[in-house]
Amino acid sequence: MSGAQGVGGGTPRRTPGSVLSGVAVALGCVLFLGGFVWGAVLYKPYTVPTDSMAPTIAKGARVLAQRVDGGEVRRGDVVVFRDQVWGDLPMVKRVIGVGGDRIECCDKQGRLRVNGKVFEEPYLRSEEQASSTVFATTVPKDRLFLMGDHRSDSLDSRVHLTDEAGGAVERGAVDARVDATAWPLGSWGTVGRPDAFKALPGGISQPGPLGPILIAIVTGAVLILVGAAYGPLVRRRAGGGARRDQEAKGKVAARG
């Protein structure tokens, strides 16, 4: 009785493959869920309701923005901010100048000057100049001068030049910095930092950890699928082998 019970009802023997399968599934769950939690803590999705950031970000696009402190923002960053003077709604614009910067527009080629340096802005539409209105302003301390990439269709710091702060927004008004566009699917891509601002004090910001987060999620999903598929594959092979053995025994019995 004990022998029969051991064969038919005992604990199945753990093979190296089944152990690796379990490890793969467990590790995959950690990476997959951990990646989502990591991303949810650091990033927040926003919808861009207007065409003011085209062609970088189209109207209606969903973006992933890293939650950052306003003190971390650098020139060239695309930020999500909220300011009562601007309507107290989440808005998305590009940082052109920070506290102390002298911003002038435009030179004969329609380009901006920041602290006397002419800037090429590759994110603008090819036929569009930096601004259709001439202006010159100095950004107050701890504030940001913001402009949309679609300059002819953007209500930005230029509209508020006559305000007390000269159109500049407090750093503390920034909620997040845009790292990528996520929707629609065809528009997926990262939002880069323009090299034009590298030479100025403070340089440009570094991208957030969106890449490692996506790698963790995708790797986790692959490990879960591969690990979960091991058991059915083994059983299928075992079942096929058993059928072949039965067929072989049947042929032998028939000959006998």
Side-chain angles (χ1 to χ4, degrees):
M1 290 293 292
S2 61
Q5 187 176 2
V7 173
T11 303
R13 185 168 60 88
R14 297 277 289 175
T15 65
S18 64
V19 172
L20 288 175
S21 171
V23 171
V25 171
L27 180 59
C29 288
V30 171
L31 289 172
F32 187 77
L33 296 177
F36 269 110
V37 171
W38 187 14
V41 170
L42 292 183
Y43 285 89
K44 186 174 181 179
Y46 291 89
T47 299
V48 179
T50 70
D51 195 43
S52 68
M53 282 302 297
T56 305
I57 305 172
K59 180 180 179 179
R62 296 277 285 179
V63 299
L64 294 177
Q66 182 186 2
R67 293 179 172 92
V68 296
D69 181 84
E72 301 176 47
V73 173
R74 300 289 182 268
R75 302 175 191 86
D77 287 345
V78 176
V79 297
V80 181
F81 67 99
R82 185 189 293 263
D83 186 89
Q84 288 186 345
V85 176
W86 293 43
D88 201 24
L89 295 171
M91 297 186 179
V92 180
K93 303 292 180 188
R94 189 182 295 275
V95 178
I96 300 299
V98 299
D101 284 348
R102 179 68 177 174
I103 303 174
E104 302 169 276
C105 192
C106 301
D107 72 353
K108 293 180 179 180
Q109 283 73 45
R111 299 171 298 182
L112 283 178
R113 279 197 184 92
V114 179
N115 299 334
K117 179 179 174 59
V118 175
F119 274 82
E120 297 290 346
E121 298 181 274
Y123 40 80
L124 299 182
R125 296 177 183 272
S126 57
E127 72 282 0
E128 197 168 33
Q129 61 181 23
S131 178
S132 58
T133 58
V134 176
F135 68 91
T137 185
T138 299
V139 185
K141 183 181 179 182
D142 293 328
R143 287 184 173 265
L144 305 169
F145 194 87
L146 305 165
M147 297 174 72
D149 287 357
H150 190 179
R151 299 289 161 79
S152 62
D153 192 24
S154 176
L155 301 178
D156 48 41
S157 288
R158 294 170 296 169
V159 178
H160 299 278
L161 284 171
T162 56
D163 295 348
E164 183 179 352
V169 171
E170 290 184 355
R171 281 185 175 270
V174 173
D175 294 325
R177 179 172 54 212
V178 177
D179 265 358
T181 53
W183 186 264
L185 292 177
S187 67
W188 166 262
T190 57
V191 176
R193 276 63 169 170
D195 290 338
F197 294 98
K198 274 185 177 180
L200 291 175
I204 57 177
S205 64
Q206 296 300 312
L210 184 59
I213 289 172
L214 292 177
I215 290 173
I217 292 173
V218 172
T219 302
V222 171
L223 287 173
I224 291 171
L225 291 174
V226 171
Y230 175 79
L233 285 174
V234 170
R235 287 194 292 272
R236 184 175 179 182
R237 289 179 180 177
R243 284 195 298 272
R244 286 192 294 271
D245 289 344
Q246 287 285 29
E247 291 172 359
K249 288 179 181 178
K251 289 179 181 178
V252 170
R255 288 197 204 95

